[in-house]
Amino acid sequence: MDKNTIIGFVLIGLVLVVFSIMNKPSQEQIERQRRYQDSIAAVQREAMQKSLEATAEKAEASFNAAAEAEKVDPTVADSLRQVQLQNNFGVFAVSTTGDEDIVTLENSKIEIRISNKGGQVVYARVKDYVTYNKTPLILFDNGDSKFNLTLVTANNRVVNTSDLYFTPIKGDNAVTMRLAAGESGGYIDFVYSLNPDDYMLNFNIQAAELNGILAPSTNALDIQWSQRMRSQEKGRKLENQYTGLYYKFQADDVEHFGEAKDEDRQLPTRIKWIGYKNKFFASCLIADGSFASTTLAVKQESPLEDRYLKEFTTVTSVPFSLTAKEDLGFRYFFGPTKYRLLRTYDNDIPNDKRLELDNLVPMGYSWLRPINKYFILPIFDFLGTFLSNYGLIILILTLIVKIVLYPLTYKSFMSTAKMRVLKPQVDALKLKFPKKEQAMELQQATMALYSSAGASPMTGCLPMLLQMPILIALYWLFPTSIELRQQGFLWAEDLSTYDDIIRWNTDIPFISSMIGNHLSLFCLLMTIVNLIYTKVNMNMSNTGQQQMPGMNMMMYLMPLMFFFFFNQSSSGLSYYFLVSTLITIAQTMIFRYSINEEKLLAKLEENKKKPKKKSGFMKRLEEAQRQQREQLRKQQEERDRRQRSGKR
């Protein structure tokens, strides 16, 4: 194999290896980092726990008192029972009992159910989608999601709205859940309204006449919001990998965490929204203002729990005033993480006030996002208006990428051809410098030959390097592109996940952890075709240059690395690289047999006759090589002198 191809493949291999292990430090580093993080987390948890325990103790006292009140001897007068409830819950005592009532709001996109128990959203269904098992796509139900306000009354009692019964006041696709503060005229309203054809649910907290009912020190409302994330897709490992807790700072970027481990974060800076996201769908709570003093936590569900992936929890607060009628605005987003949809929520919005919900779509690192945003996704959207088969769309995308890179690919093949026709002259140089200690002279003579003939070994590396960002960008996008979700092609039922043709239930050491308990057909075909291409390319691109030891083995190991990377990933991704490799093989064969090597060699010989003007860089390089040769010569003379002295 010629040097430029070797360099190109080595660089590709290095990029892939670095990409795969950049977040995999040594075991010692992992342990040290774990101890460091555990110590920080312990301090944070201790501080958070103390705060929550204080609230919990108050709440428990209230609830225990309420429970005792419920156990009052029937012979005790009702008036005494009311006094006990009044002592524990103050003006909210009347709301401690009731019958649960569910109000449903729906439009063409989502169905929402709101319970008067806590006045909270208890059910959310996305209508346009179904799960992998073809059941309705329900984000949460049956206690999966909880929302609560913690109130401290004027007599220092802790009351949680999630345990109180609100009075529903129904409207036109809207409902007001009212929590009355006894006969004082004060109240807290949770107002929900749903617009047509939208995934956003408007949510306002309105309060009035609470001065003297809540503690005088009340200047904020404490909010707790949690949700257990349901598994909706095929392939728990891949789905879990893209399930995380997202949040946006008030005037800064979107960040996320919790994809791989239990974790909690305390955020002293104000944030705009909080998002609980799985692979393709999200539940977001967006403030018209901002959240303050926020603590976010992620808990991984047991792998034995097939139904759930993670549990997300938020403890936060919003500013609140007792002296005026307060109206706090929020919005819920319950819907798909589709890039084009999420971008619409920033239409006609000033840059400093944009939600940037499109960051819920993973597109890789910041330097990769432009490739997906401005190249891959626009092609998907454009072709999607004409074609419904995403297998054909991926095929056309592959052809477009190959056409864009064609000039550089052609230049790379020409560079390889030039060095191939110069192979006899390189072999002659090897005979001229046969000794191992003459390797430097051989290398210099070979480079001089290439330079005089107009051949550049580095030219062949450029197309390979330019394809790497596209490769990595697609590696991020395809598994989370909702456009591919449940889109079948050939034998693959869903291009967004693996297309297993063989599966097993028994965990095999090392094998199961690396590739899962299945074999994906597109991934297997991609690996086989890459092995064939490696063999053909190595034979056809032999330029006579000396190869590094083990290089042949490295070339064959690279397709196997791809297999381990892609077997549990998107079948659409494996299909893309299968087609891309087949096109590359066809290009290689066409270029190989369409280039007249005799004419090419004659042209290179003509190039040798032309005067070459050396650049400043080449002059400095030659001077450095000359100095290196001189230094090696002196070192050799010194060794010879010492050997002669030793013999004496």
Side-chain angles (χ1 to χ4, degrees):
M1 180 179 288
D2 61 329
K3 185 175 181 180
N4 63 314
T5 304
I6 292 173
I7 294 173
F9 276 114
V10 169
L11 289 173
I12 291 175
L14 288 174
V15 171
L16 287 173
V17 170
V18 170
F19 175 70
S20 64
I21 67 173
M22 62 173 55
N23 291 320
K24 293 183 180 179
S26 66
Q27 190 62 38
E28 181 182 353
Q29 291 173 322
I30 292 174
E31 185 63 25
R32 185 167 59 251
Q33 183 69 12
R34 185 190 64 78
R35 291 195 299 269
Y36 174 72
Q37 291 177 342
D38 286 349
S39 63
I40 293 177
V43 173
Q44 292 176 338
R45 283 195 297 270
E46 183 178 357
M48 180 181 175
Q49 188 65 26
K50 288 181 179 179
S51 175
L52 294 178
E53 282 176 359
T55 301
E57 287 175 1
K58 295 179 181 179
E60 184 177 1
S62 298
F63 295 143
N64 289 340
E68 290 300 321
E70 292 291 339
K71 297 177 182 177
V72 172
D73 193 309
T75 62
V76 177
D78 288 343
S79 59
L80 178 58
R81 183 175 182 275
Q82 290 300 322
V83 169
Q84 291 175 321
L85 288 174
Q86 189 74 23
N87 288 336
N88 291 305
F89 293 97
V91 295
F92 298 107
V94 69
S95 300
T96 56
T97 59
D99 296 322
E100 187 172 15
D101 184 16
I102 300 295
V103 178
T104 300
L105 305 180
E106 61 181 313
N107 58 22
S108 62
K109 300 297 184 183
I110 56 176
E111 177 188 353
I112 303 297
R113 297 177 188 173
I114 302 164
S115 172
N116 69 325
K117 177 73 177 295
Q120 58 186 308
V121 180
V122 294
Y123 175 96
R125 177 172 71 92
V126 184
K127 289 188 172 182
D128 296 339
Y129 299 88
V130 294
T131 68
Y132 172 71
N133 294 321
K134 308 305 180 185
T135 60
L137 199 144
I138 299 171
L139 298 181
F140 54 84
D141 188 14
N142 297 325
D144 294 343
S145 179
K146 298 177 182 179
F147 181 90
N148 176 62
L149 292 186
T150 300
L151 308 175
V152 180
T153 64
N155 61 347
N156 206 32
R157 297 294 187 182
V158 175
V159 177
N160 291 289
T161 60
S162 60
D163 297 299
L164 301 178
Y165 288 88
F166 289 59
T167 301
I169 305 171
K170 300 178 183 179
D172 184 13
N173 215 17
V175 63
T176 296
M177 291 291 180
R178 173 159 294 184
L179 179 64
E183 298 179 357
S184 66
Y187 62 86
I188 298 176
D189 284 348
F190 289 176
V191 182
Y192 299 93
S193 62
L194 193 58
N195 298 325
D197 304 323
D198 196 0
Y199 293 100
M200 286 284 189
L201 173 69
N202 300 313
F203 171 45
N204 283 20
I205 299 177
Q206 298 175 353
E209 304 297 333
L210 295 179
N211 195 11
I213 295 175
L214 298 184
S217 60
T218 301
N219 57 14
L221 291 180
D222 294 330
I223 297 174
Q224 299 89 43
W225 177 44
S226 66
Q227 182 179 328
R228 297 181 75 186
M229 304 303 292
R230 292 188 172 192
S231 177
Q232 313 280 8
E233 314 299 331
K234 174 183 176 181
R236 179 186 177 90
K237 181 176 180 180
L238 184 63
E239 185 179 12
N240 205 38
Q241 178 182 339
Y242 293 101
T243 300
L245 197 159
Y246 286 63
Y247 57 94
K248 183 188 184 303
F249 290 107
Q250 175 72 4
D252 208 338
D253 296 333
V254 175
E255 296 189 7
H256 61 94
F257 70 104
E259 284 84 353
K261 60 181 180 179
D262 290 354
E263 191 174 352
D264 55 71
R265 292 185 182 182
Q266 290 184 323
L267 308 175
T269 307
R270 292 183 176 274
I271 60 176
K272 183 66 177 177
W273 55 260
I274 302 141
Y276 299 162
K277 173 194 170 297
N278 60 17
K279 192 177 178 184
F280 293 115
F281 301 91
S283 302
C284 300
L285 180 59
I286 307 162
D288 287 353
S290 61
F291 299 104
S293 302
T294 303
T295 298
L296 305 172
V298 178
K299 179 183 177 182
Q300 307 285 330
E301 296 282 2
S302 169
L304 300 178
E305 175 60 83
D306 294 334
R307 190 178 182 186
Y308 298 100
L309 301 168
K310 296 179 174 74
E311 182 176 8
F312 297 142
T313 303
T314 297
V315 178
T316 188
S317 63
V318 291
F320 179 78
S321 173
L322 286 174
T323 59
K325 183 175 181 179
E326 195 69 81
D327 189 347
L328 304 175
F330 304 89
R331 283 180 290 171
Y332 279 111
F333 172 82
F334 299 122
T337 54
K338 188 172 185 178
Y339 178 78
R340 185 170 54 181
L341 165 69
L342 298 175
R343 289 287 292 175
T344 62
Y345 292 109
D346 284 333
N347 288 346
D348 303 321
I349 302 296
N351 291 339
D352 59 337
K353 295 184 179 181
R354 292 185 174 179
L355 296 177
E356 298 181 3
L357 289 172
D358 56 282
N359 282 277
L360 290 168
V361 183
M363 295 188 190
Y365 304 105
S366 57
W367 58 277
L368 290 173
R369 287 187 69 87
I371 297 175
N372 285 321
K373 288 172 62 175
Y374 304 117
F375 180 61
I376 305 299
L377 286 177
I379 292 175
F380 266 34
D381 290 340
F382 175 75
L383 295 177
T385 60
F386 303 100
L387 300 172
S388 59
N389 188 314
Y390 272 84
L392 296 179
I393 290 176
I394 293 175
L395 173 61
I396 296 174
L397 171 66
T398 312
L399 292 173
I400 291 173
V401 172
K402 288 297 183 181
I403 291 172
V404 170
L405 296 177
Y406 174 80
L408 294 173
T409 305
Y410 179 76
K411 193 172 183 179
S412 172
F413 278 112
M414 287 301 297
S415 175
T416 302
K418 289 177 182 179
M419 289 186 289
R420 186 169 57 248
V421 298
L422 291 173
K423 180 179 181 300
Q425 298 180 41
V426 174
D427 292 339
L429 291 175
K430 290 180 180 179
L431 295 175
K432 185 177 180 180
F433 302 101
K435 298 180 180 179
K436 188 175 295 185
E437 56 269 21
Q438 294 178 312
M440 178 73 70
E441 288 87 344
L442 174 60
Q443 182 66 19
Q444 291 172 348
T446 303
M447 295 305 296
L449 171 64
Y450 288 153
S451 178
S452 64
S456 174
M458 294 302 296
T459 304
C461 302
L462 189 58
M464 299 178 188
L465 292 178
L466 288 177
Q467 289 184 71
M468 288 307 300
I470 298 177
L471 183 155
I472 301 174
L474 293 176
Y475 181 85
W476 279 96
L477 180 65
F478 272 29
T480 59
S481 175
I482 199 168
E483 287 81 3
L484 298 182
R485 183 179 186 268
Q486 297 182 0
Q487 294 292 326
F489 181 66
L490 298 179
W491 56 84
E493 297 178 350
D494 188 342
L495 289 172
S496 70
T497 188
Y498 54 81
D499 55 316
D500 50 330
I501 55 165
I502 300 176
R503 65 182 68 89
W504 56 90
N505 295 323
T506 304
D507 283 342
I508 303 174
F510 180 74
I511 297 296
S512 294
S513 62
M514 293 295 293
I515 67 171
N517 289 347
H518 65 271
L519 288 178
S520 301
L521 183 54
F522 269 128
C523 184
L524 193 61
L525 291 176
M526 178 198 70
T527 303
I528 294 172
V529 170
N530 269 280
L531 288 171
I532 294 173
Y533 171 67
T534 300
K535 175 65 175 177
V536 172
N537 193 51
M538 289 174 65
N539 292 336
M540 297 180 63
S541 303
N542 185 7
T543 60
Q545 295 189 62
Q546 185 177 1
Q547 296 185 8
M548 290 182 289
M551 180 56 66
N552 286 348
M553 181 61 67
M554 182 183 293
M555 293 299 100
Y556 287 112
L557 284 176
M558 287 184 62
L560 297 178
M561 291 170 57
F562 279 107
F563 175 76
F564 285 105
F565 285 143
F566 295 159
N567 191 62
Q568 297 189 79
S569 190
S570 161
S571 57
L573 184 64
S574 297
Y575 167 61
Y576 170 87
F577 288 112
L578 169 64
V579 174
S580 179
T581 305
L582 289 172
I583 294 175
T584 301
I585 291 175
Q587 287 179 325
T588 301
M589 302 297 291
I590 292 172
F591 284 132
R592 178 68 175 86
Y593 294 107
S594 64
I595 295 174
N596 189 320
E597 295 190 354
E598 292 182 359
K599 291 183 178 180
L600 179 60
L601 179 59
K603 183 178 179 180
L604 296 180
E605 293 298 332
E606 288 294 324
N607 290 341
K608 292 181 182 180
K609 300 175 183 178
K610 298 177 182 178
K612 298 290 188 303
K613 182 179 180 180
K614 294 182 180 179
S615 64
F617 172 77
M618 289 302 299
K619 290 179 180 179
R620 290 192 295 271
L621 180 61
E622 290 180 356
E623 177 61 22
Q625 291 174 340
R626 186 193 66 77
Q627 292 177 1
Q628 186 178 16
R629 287 198 306 270
E630 183 64 21
Q631 185 178 2
L632 291 173
R633 185 184 63 79
K634 291 180 179 180
Q635 291 175 352
Q636 184 62 41
E637 290 178 353
E638 180 64 20
R639 286 195 294 269
D640 293 342
R641 184 184 66 77
R642 290 177 180 177
Q643 289 178 356
R644 289 194 297 269
S645 298
K647 291 179 180 180
R648 294 175 185 173

